Structure formats: structure tokens, C-alpha cells
Amino acid sequence: NCTWTMVGEAEMVKQNKAYSEIVELLKLNNNAMAVKEIVSYFVDKGEKESTVRWRLSEMLKRDILYSDNRGVYKINNIL
């Protein structure tokens, strides 16, 4: 059951362009960025700050991303 959940989450990331863009940004930045850096990047591209922060929180809830004790976001190992 756990395996199916992980595969399902990974598949969901592939299908969701907004989530994929966040994952790609993290990959380009050695899989470690502060939330302010991520938000700033997407705000500069015309996104609303609240939307980006909501996406990040959803990605944390779905275990797509995790945050270390310093508030640095990273891609979960299942991807």
C-alpha cells in the first residue's frame, strides 16, 4: 500500500505543471532552497506569493517536499 501511495504521488507531480516547476527549480539549486528564495523566484515570474506558499504547503502535506530544521525545502527521496 505504501508503495502505491508513493508512486501515485510521484505521478501526480508529473501531471501538475506548477508542482513540477517547483521540483525543477529545486533540482537546479542542489535540492535545497529557503522558502523565501522559492517564493521570490515565482513572484518574479508573475505568481502571487500566497499561491506559491499554498503550493509549497500542499507539497509538504503530500510528502513531495520536506523542510529541514532550518526551513530549507528539499525534494523527498520518493521522486
Side-chain angles (χ1 to χ4, degrees):
N1 190 9
C2 184
T3 303
W4 287 105
T5 301
M6 286 194 256
V7 171
E9 294 294 341
E11 200 56 41
M12 188 269 317
V13 169
K14 290 177 186 175
Q15 294 174 1
N16 189 314
K17 185 176 184 250
Y19 288 2
S20 294
E21 288 176 348
I22 292 170
V23 168
E24 289 304 313
L25 178 65
L26 284 164
K27 285 179 180 178
L28 291 172
N29 288 278
N30 297 315
N31 190 29
M33 291 180 76
V35 76
K36 286 175 67 173
E37 295 173 312
I38 298 168
V39 169
S40 177
Y41 175 83
F42 286 101
V43 166
D44 288 349
K45 289 180 64 176
E47 296 279 342
K48 291 183 179 179
E49 180 177 343
S50 60
T51 302
V52 177
R53 288 184 181 277
W54 178 83
R55 282 186 193 131
L56 290 171
S57 69
E58 287 296 309
M59 292 174 81
L60 285 172
K61 287 179 197 172
R62 295 171 190 251
D63 292 326
I64 298 164
L65 303 179
Y66 70 95
S67 179
D68 68 13
N69 60 356
R70 297 175 298 140
V72 173
Y73 280 62
K74 298 179 180 185
I75 303 166
N76 205 337
N77 291 331
I78 63 168
L79 303 176

